[in-house]
Amino acid sequence: MKPDLEVVLQTLATTLFTDFVPHVSDDYQMKTMAMVGVLMIVSADQIDQQADLYVTDNDAIRSVFRTALETMPHSKLPQGVSETAFAEEESYRVSALRNVNNRLRQQLIALHTAVETETSDPAKALNKSIWQLISADVERRIIELPNLEG
Amino acid sequence: MEERIEHYLQHKYPDRDNIKVTDLHRIHGGASRQTFRFKLSSSQDGRVSERNLILRRDPEGSLIDTERALEYSAYRSFFNTDVPVPEALFLEEDLKWLDRPFFIMEAIDDCEVASPFGISPYGEVRQKIGEQFWTILGHICGTDLDKTELREVVETPELDACWCKELDYWESVIDEDELEPNPLLRAAIRHMRRNPPAPAQRLSVVHGDYRTGNFLYDGEGTIRSILDWEMAHIGDPLEDLGWAMDGLWAYDDPDQPAGMISTNEAISLWEKASGCMVDAKSFMWWRMFACVKGLGIWISSAKEYQGGDNLDPILASAGWLTIGRHNKVLLGLLRADGGAL
């Protein structure tokens, strides 16, 4: 599909900044319009990244769930963990991936709550794995403001 | 809208004639209230007077659920004190005037507001502003609660309940408004409940949003007014200090919180003005709390925008751009406190 979605959004934002924003005299309207432009640029970037973000995160969470099943087989793990640990994506629509991600993250919170105060070695190792996952996810989800200079 | 404001002010100033509202325009930002600036001219006993005023009206949806009476009381509590605030003139909750509640206060002229997210927002006057900023915060903490109107409109917690009251509230906001689960935030809340701070050393007025970008300063670098008191309450003095030093503001320079002066200098000025001391362990808790509260606000803003309750793009921006950065600040604090591996 051409032009690319991200190109269209970026170009629309540029048009907004160059052809419209400078001619708006009301301060509130001008700043609001500029923010709309910024959000369009961010949207262009996110359209390209969102599916990858969710697939990566979903895979990482399922991997932690599988580790939990392998290393803590006798523990009572939160509901749903064993079912979702081996699941695969049924659709790659962003909305579908996001729904799966929300369910997995909810289960991850339950699992983390269950193991973080446990003192067994497998629980400590799993806790460490969960923190590695969370840390990586925090980095992935940071959205940098676009550089509008130049 | 000018005409409706004129009718209202005629009602409030029955002795004045020729009441006229001009130069009405909305001020950008501050999605918790719609803020308008206008010029009021009127005559009384043959003398014509003019005054610039600010009108803060409730929006249909906002970042923060607060009562405007609370904010109005906060302004009145500090008018003509060491804490510079504009004169609050009228609080109106009758919807017949402007469809939604509002209050009117004095406008402070010839001042600037810095962006809370800019790098080095105060440039050459950062030292002068920093000295005032942390001292004024100390004055707020040191204010005698019994001399404030605020005490009449907000709850007064016990010393050992300050942290719990605030954390309970903001966790409930997150529970209610969260559109996507946040494992980091939930882990932080659990860690904070397992490791609470010491009881507050005293009860104080907490501004609730004391930070870079929420005050007016003039070209000389003099702070002329502390703004945005809508989250004011009574609580632990360390709460505002943690919020003001949060890494989100002024691009997370750990040596220069809020983009002003060094951390040690800031704390020293605050301690001197407030008469309180900073306990490192408790302060770390309140710094983590600042992230939890901030994330609560951004989560709410995302929900407001997603649900169409408030379509101001600043809410979408808060939901997208700010949550990620605040998560990173929180993760750093949790690691430093032993709460994250």
Side-chain angles (χ1 to χ4, degrees):
Chain A
M1 192 165 76
K2 295 291 180 182
D4 300 329
L5 286 174
E6 57 271 32
V7 170
V8 171
L9 276 173
Q10 283 167 351
T11 307
L12 288 172
T14 303
T15 304
L16 194 65
F17 277 120
T18 55
D19 293 357
F20 292 94
V21 171
H23 304 295
V24 178
S25 57
D26 181 83
D27 184 67
Y28 173 78
Q29 290 180 342
M30 188 266 286
K31 286 177 177 168
T32 300
M33 199 179 278
M35 183 160 282
V36 169
V38 168
L39 291 173
M40 287 168 75
I41 293 172
V42 173
S43 298
D45 191 44
Q46 289 300 300
I47 280 174
D48 195 32
Q49 292 189 33
Q50 286 232 314
D52 180 67
L53 183 145
Y54 290 130
V55 168
T56 303
D57 196 34
N58 292 351
D59 283 350
I61 295 173
R62 289 188 186 110
S63 174
V64 164
F65 288 177
R66 289 194 293 274
T67 302
L69 292 169
E70 288 164 16
T71 59
M72 303 177 69
H74 306 298
S75 300
K76 189 175 182 305
L77 299 176
Q79 192 176 10
V81 166
S82 55
E83 289 80 11
T84 52
F86 298 97
E88 294 181 356
E89 309 299 353
E90 293 179 1
S91 164
Y92 284 89
R93 293 178 72 102
V94 169
S95 56
L97 293 170
R98 183 166 51 225
N99 286 339
V100 170
N101 186 250
N102 283 347
R103 283 199 297 276
L104 287 170
R105 281 159 71 90
Q106 199 62 58
Q107 291 167 349
L108 180 70
I109 290 170
L111 179 65
H112 198 187
T113 305
V115 303
E116 67 187 349
T117 52
E118 292 274 327
T119 53
S120 70
D121 288 341
K124 285 181 184 173
L126 190 61
N127 187 32
K128 189 174 180 182
S129 297
I130 291 172
W131 273 115
Q132 285 170 345
L133 189 161
I134 289 174
S135 302
D137 189 51
V138 165
E139 291 295 335
R140 272 196 298 273
R141 288 180 191 244
I142 290 174
I143 299 175
E144 295 295 343
L145 272 172
N147 181 3
L148 300 175
E149 294 174 7
Chain B
M1 189 164 168
E2 286 93 333
E3 199 173 325
R4 298 180 77 183
I5 298 172
E6 286 172 2
H7 284 150
Y8 177 72
L9 290 171
Q10 188 65 72
H11 163 72
K12 300 303 289 186
Y13 291 124
D15 298 337
R16 296 193 190 182
D17 301 313
N18 303 316
I19 286 187
K20 198 74 189 163
V21 169
T22 55
D23 298 340
L24 176 73
H25 60 273
R26 188 170 170 185
I27 297 173
H28 189 260
S32 59
R33 300 267 188 278
Q34 294 177 341
T35 306
F36 300 87
R37 183 186 175 95
F38 63 93
K39 180 179 287 182
L40 167 68
S41 58
S42 63
S43 58
Q44 189 172 19
D45 302 328
R47 285 182 308 171
V48 177
S49 63
E50 285 188 342
R51 192 175 194 191
N52 291 326
L53 298 175
I54 295 289
L55 186 150
R56 298 257 286 162
R57 182 171 72 158
D58 284 19
E60 291 173 28
S62 75
L63 282 174
I64 306 157
D65 297 324
T66 58
E67 294 291 332
R68 81 286 319 165
L70 186 158
E71 186 176 14
Y72 183 79
S73 299
Y75 278 115
R76 289 176 63 86
S77 293
F78 287 99
F79 184 58
N80 277 336
T81 69
D82 289 339
V83 180
V85 294
E87 182 183 11
L89 299 172
F90 306 116
L91 170 66
E92 186 55 63
E93 298 191 289
D94 189 334
L95 306 187
K96 74 178 181 182
W97 299 104
L98 293 176
D99 304 325
R100 297 193 287 280
F102 62 93
F103 69 87
I104 292 176
M105 62 184 179
E106 165 193 20
I108 307 295
D109 295 325
D110 304 319
C111 285
E112 295 177 51
V113 177
S115 164
F117 305 120
I119 299 170
S120 189
Y122 300 106
E124 292 178 358
V125 291
R126 66 172 184 78
Q127 178 73 27
K128 183 175 177 184
I129 283 185
E131 289 169 4
Q132 297 165 79
F133 180 79
W134 299 111
T135 300
I136 291 169
L137 181 57
H139 289 320
I140 293 173
C141 297
T143 297
D144 183 350
L145 284 177
D146 291 329
K147 291 180 180 171
T148 68
E149 284 189 25
L150 198 60
R151 182 147 208 172
E152 296 164 19
V153 295
V154 296
E155 181 188 340
T156 303
E158 297 295 326
L159 291 169
D160 60 357
C162 292
W163 70 269
C164 193
K165 172 176 165 284
E166 290 304 310
L167 188 58
D168 286 352
Y169 174 75
W170 285 103
E171 186 176 21
S172 74
V173 168
I174 292 162
D175 288 343
E176 192 171 329
D177 291 350
E178 187 176 68
L179 297 177
E180 56 185 3
N182 185 330
L184 169 73
L185 178 56
R186 296 299 178 170
I189 292 171
R190 295 193 302 273
H191 172 76
M192 291 165 69
R193 290 199 183 282
R194 288 194 300 268
N195 303 278
Q201 55 200 293
R202 55 167 292 181
L203 291 176
S204 73
V205 172
V206 177
H207 177 285
D209 198 8
Y210 193 92
R211 61 165 169 79
T212 305
N214 265 350
F215 61 87
L216 294 167
Y217 65 101
D218 63 23
E220 304 291 309
T222 301
I223 294 180
R224 299 272 304 281
S225 187
I226 304 299
L227 304 174
D228 291 345
W229 293 76
E230 62 259 44
M231 290 192 284
H233 56 276
I234 294 172
D236 191 312
L238 293 179
E239 184 184 339
D240 263 344
L241 193 64
W243 181 254
M245 289 196 173
D246 189 86
L248 189 67
W249 322 126
Y251 244 81
D252 197 13
D253 181 345
D255 300 323
Q256 225 172 69
M260 299 175 192
I261 56 180
S262 73
T263 305
N264 287 344
E265 196 176 358
I267 287 176
S268 173
L269 288 166
W270 179 85
E271 287 182 336
K272 187 177 174 188
S274 67
C276 297
M277 300 297 288
V278 174
D279 168 71
K281 187 172 181 303
S282 294
F283 185 49
M284 175 58 89
W285 192 96
W286 285 105
R287 290 186 69 193
M288 290 188 286
F289 171 76
C291 295
V292 172
K293 174 177 169 175
L295 285 164
I297 293 171
W298 319 132
I299 285 167
S300 294
S301 71
K303 186 189 180 192
E304 292 279 349
Y305 192 85
Q306 175 105 351
D309 298 318
N310 185 335
L311 298 180
D312 189 329
I314 200 169
L315 274 80
S317 170
W320 273 5
L321 304 173
T322 321
I323 286 178
R325 285 185 55 202
H326 229 159
N327 273 336
K328 187 169 184 177
V329 175
L330 177 58
L331 180 60
L333 292 172
L334 266 174
R335 281 183 179 139
D337 199 46
L341 302 176

